[in-house]
Amino acid sequence: RLALPGGLFDRILVPEAVLNECTARPELDDAARIRRACEDGPLTVCVAEPIDAVHLGRGERNAIGKALEVGAVLLADDLAARRQAIALRLTAIGTLGVLVGAKRKRLLSEVRPLIDALRAGGYWFSDETLRVALLAAGEGGT
């Protein structure tokens, strides 16, 4: 579903450090999908100067640095990165926010099956976060 953010944002910049983290295991299908999305769109690889935040990983520091540089929304699921971005007056949105936004723009008919697939694949969302996302998507909160 890498095309979904492209339906919500004009462009999606991916700092090289983030790309390296996401494709560190090239044998995984997701790594190949991410590489293709960078080659064919909708993702654009970019150079980014990291912020100084030792509690964050290199990818998060670079992503926040690029978002600050260009005045962009930060796409991140890492809670510490999102909190840092918000402290720096950036807007931060995660996977669930992208799914809800895509449904609101009618790019998706339902978010629940995608959330279930994410959870089955190892993504963790608190029950409260899940409830709020489902309510925001108009799919109830249970």
Side-chain angles (χ1 to χ4, degrees):
R1 304 292 179 160
L2 289 170
L4 285 178
L8 302 176
F9 304 102
D10 293 332
R11 62 186 178 150
I12 302 146
L13 301 175
V14 180
E16 290 173 338
V18 173
L19 177 62
N20 292 339
E21 288 178 12
C22 292
T23 59
R25 295 188 54 202
E27 73 277 6
L28 297 178
D29 290 340
D30 284 347
R33 284 187 201 102
I34 291 166
R35 285 243 179 245
R36 274 194 307 277
C38 290
E39 293 166 5
D40 304 334
L43 308 178
T44 302
V45 180
C46 65
V47 175
E49 288 297 319
I51 63 166
D52 185 23
V54 296
H55 65 288
L56 297 176
R58 184 170 184 229
E60 288 86 1
R61 292 192 319 268
N62 278 265
I64 293 170
K66 182 51 87 173
L68 284 169
E69 177 188 333
V70 300
V73 171
L74 177 73
L75 296 176
D77 284 325
D78 181 85
L79 184 58
R82 291 169 55 140
R83 285 182 175 157
Q84 181 70 52
I86 291 166
L88 294 169
R89 301 188 190 272
L90 288 171
T91 299
I93 184 172
T95 299
L96 294 180
V98 169
L99 293 177
V100 169
K103 181 169 181 193
R104 287 180 176 169
K105 286 193 125 188
R106 293 179 165 59
L107 301 172
L108 293 173
S109 58
E110 289 182 282
V111 298
R112 186 183 292 270
L114 296 174
I115 292 171
D116 290 344
L118 286 168
R119 288 180 114 184
Y123 280 78
W124 183 86
F125 306 107
S126 72
D127 290 338
E128 179 61 12
T129 299
L130 179 59
R131 186 186 71 76
V132 169
L134 290 172
L135 282 172
E139 296 183 29
T142 57

